Amino acid sequence: MNTHSDALQATIDALVQRGKGLLAADESGPTIAKRFKTVGVESTEENRRAWRSLLLGTPGLGEFVSGVILYEETLGQCADDGEPLSSLAARQGIVPGIKVDKGKISLAHAPGDEITQGLDGLAERLGRYKEQGARFAKWRAVYNISSTLPSPLAIEANAESLARYAAICQEAGLVPIVEPEVLMDGEHSIERCAQVTDAVLHEVFHALHRHSIVLEHMLLKPSMVVAGKEHVPVNVTEAASQTVTVLNRTVPPAVAGIFFLSGGQTPEEATAHLDAINRIGRRPWPLSFSYGRALQEPPLKAWRGQAANVSEAQRALLKRARLNAAAAQARYSTEDESTS
Ligand code: 13P
């Protein structure tokens, strides 16, 4: 029995709450710079601190968000009043977690495929993150999709890394979020996305079993089954149906919860998909959100780096969080978009 079993269960109970999801605010240096550039903000440490203080300080956010995924830098940052950002989150009832992978590189001998790195020294890093208040972790594996990608080698190698990461987390007393992301880039059909997602998840759970992961003490963060961005769009009900079919075929019921990534969907699309998914009956796990862009885009556009816009940006974040929380309970309607 894992000596951390009670702690892991307590974290799961805090994260998996009906009508709540996760805020992914764990963009790496290059990614946050890209997001800031869209609104003309320079990515300085001070601007990143100001932005993430704004997000976590949003009054009432804890009503709809049970956990936040932070980037390493943020764990060491404080709000204007000197309170560490992880405590600010915890005070709102939001469990702080941390992205622990070190990003993706090309997978050798597999042109077009990628592999996520960061396993070396992970156990030691987790010890430090825990002292700084983190209670869960996240590792993202990325799968490029085409008629030939991802290769079986990439599917296997990424599954193995995800499982090794998850084992190290559980041994350290942190709940692992396992994130296999099949990218939306490309002109592939929804059927091709379903085929790849099925193969990826099948291999991920095989590897998790090999590494004795306690499924009750982990969360899955998958991409939805959708058509490629350059393909003609598929309607929301069809995407929801294909997503649930693939998950039912590959994810054991013991998994504590499934929290989707938004992966480049618009905020409205991501909410509509989550709602449609939750309107489908046959599924054993809570299905909620762990969105980055789909939660942050509207507040980022409202903020534009100006202190005077903080309240408006916080209102925009709260609105998206509230609508996604409704979607997680199959209670969203597109008419809700016109509410403030
Ligand atoms: P998106 O919702 O923007 O895909 O971000 C989620 C995430 O954590 C990606 O690793």
Side-chain angles (χ1 to χ4, degrees), residues 24 26 138 140 179 221 261-263 290-293:
D26 59 332
K138 190 200 89 171
R140 172 174 177 253
E179 180 182 10
K221 173 165 174 164
L261 60 92
S262 61
S290 174
Y291 293 162
R293 281 163 285 181

Side-chain angles (χ1 to χ4, degrees), residues 280-314:
I280 297 174
R282 198 161 156 263
R283 53 197 168 72
W285 344 257
L287 294 164
S288 192
F289 59 93
S290 174
Y291 293 162
R293 281 163 285 181
L295 281 170
Q296 292 188 49
E297 251 171 42
L300 187 60
K301 279 188 191 146
W303 178 55
R304 294 183 180 275
Q306 304 297 317
N309 298 335
V310 165
S311 299
E312 192 193 334
Q314 290 181 328

Side-chain angles (χ1 to χ4, degrees), residues 144-159:
N144 293 308
I145 179 166
S146 74
S147 57
T148 52
L149 297 177
S151 66
L153 180 68
I155 292 176
E156 255 184 55
N158 276 294

Side-chain angles (χ1 to χ4, degrees), residues 200-209 215 218 220 250-252 255:
V200 161
L201 291 177
H202 186 89
E203 195 63 36
V204 165
F205 281 95
H206 189 188
L208 292 172
H209 183 260
L215 299 180
M218 65 157 273
L220 180 70
T250 53
V251 183
V255 170

Side-chain angles (χ1 to χ4, degrees), residues 21-339:
L22 310 180
L23 166 65
D26 59 332
E27 298 82 5
S28 63
T31 305
I32 192 76
K34 204 160 77 181
R35 306 271 187 269
F36 276 4
K37 200 163 173 227
T38 62
V39 293
V41 173
E42 197 190 337
S43 181
T44 59
E45 187 185 342
E46 175 51 25
N47 283 341
R48 293 190 296 272
R49 188 195 68 83
W51 171 239
R52 287 162 172 161
S53 306
L54 177 163
L55 295 175
L56 296 173
T58 296
L61 191 64
E63 199 185 324
F64 310 115
V65 168
S66 58
V68 61
I69 312 170
L70 301 171
Y71 187 55
E72 189 175 21
E73 174 189 74
T74 316
L75 265 189
Q77 288 176 325
C78 296
D80 290 342
D81 63 2
E83 180 175 27
L85 290 182
S86 60
S87 320
L88 174 60
R91 201 157 46 76
Q92 293 242 53
I94 300 173
V95 182
I98 167 97
K99 178 234 277 303
V100 301
D101 67 69
K102 294 198 161 182
K104 59 197 173 62
I105 51 166
S106 302
L107 178 61
H109 289 182
D113 281 318
E114 295 178 292
I115 182 82
T116 303
Q117 51 186 357
L119 288 171
D120 287 358
L122 179 57
E124 291 77 18
R125 283 198 286 133
L126 292 184
R128 286 203 301 279
Y129 299 149
K130 241 177 119 170
E131 279 171 19
Q132 290 175 288
R135 291 172 60 190
F136 69 96
K138 190 200 89 171
W139 177 290
R140 172 174 177 253
V142 177
Y143 306 85
N144 293 308
I145 179 166
S146 74
S147 57
T148 52
L149 297 177
S151 66
L153 180 68
I155 292 176
E156 255 184 55
N158 276 294
E160 183 68 13
S161 296
L162 279 167
R164 285 183 59 196
Y165 139 81
I168 295 168
C169 286
Q170 290 192 337
E171 206 164 80
L174 280 96
V175 165
I177 297 189
V178 171
E179 180 182 10
E181 175 172 8
V182 177
L183 291 180
M184 278 174 71
D185 303 304
E187 52 186 33
H188 53 271
S189 65
I190 189 168
E191 287 76 20
R192 176 72 184 138
C193 180
Q195 189 182 40
V196 168
T197 308
D198 184 271
V200 161
L201 291 177
H202 186 89
E203 195 63 36
V204 165
F205 281 95
H206 189 188
L208 292 172
H209 183 260
R210 271 201 308 277
H211 288 265
S212 306
I213 302 307
V214 179
L215 299 180
E216 291 84 349
H217 291 162
M218 65 157 273
L219 301 174
L220 180 70
K221 173 165 174 164
S223 38
M224 294 176 188
V225 175
V226 289
K229 274 187 200 149
E230 279 97 55
H231 191 276
V232 275
V234 167
N235 78 52
V236 168
T237 325
E238 176 62 17
S241 157
Q242 297 234 20
T243 299
V244 173
T245 298
V246 169
L247 293 174
N248 273 333
R249 288 177 179 170
T250 53
V251 183
V255 170
I258 299 182
F259 291 72
F260 293 99
L261 60 92
S262 61
Q265 297 181 38
T266 66
E268 293 78 12
E269 275 167 359
T271 308
H273 277 140
L274 181 63
D275 183 73
I277 285 168
N278 274 289
R279 285 177 193 270
I280 297 174
R282 198 161 156 263
R283 53 197 168 72
W285 344 257
L287 294 164
S288 192
F289 59 93
S290 174
Y291 293 162
R293 281 163 285 181
L295 281 170
Q296 292 188 49
E297 251 171 42
L300 187 60
K301 279 188 191 146
W303 178 55
R304 294 183 180 275
Q306 304 297 317
N309 298 335
V310 165
S311 299
E312 192 193 334
Q314 290 181 328
R315 274 197 300 279
L317 172 64
L318 198 66
K319 174 179 169 181
R320 285 276 35 108
R322 177 170 52 78
L323 296 184
N324 282 308
Q329 301 168 82
R331 287 190 192 156
Y332 164 76
S333 144
T334 46
E335 285 157 27
D336 302 338
E337 291 292 346
S338 51
T339 60

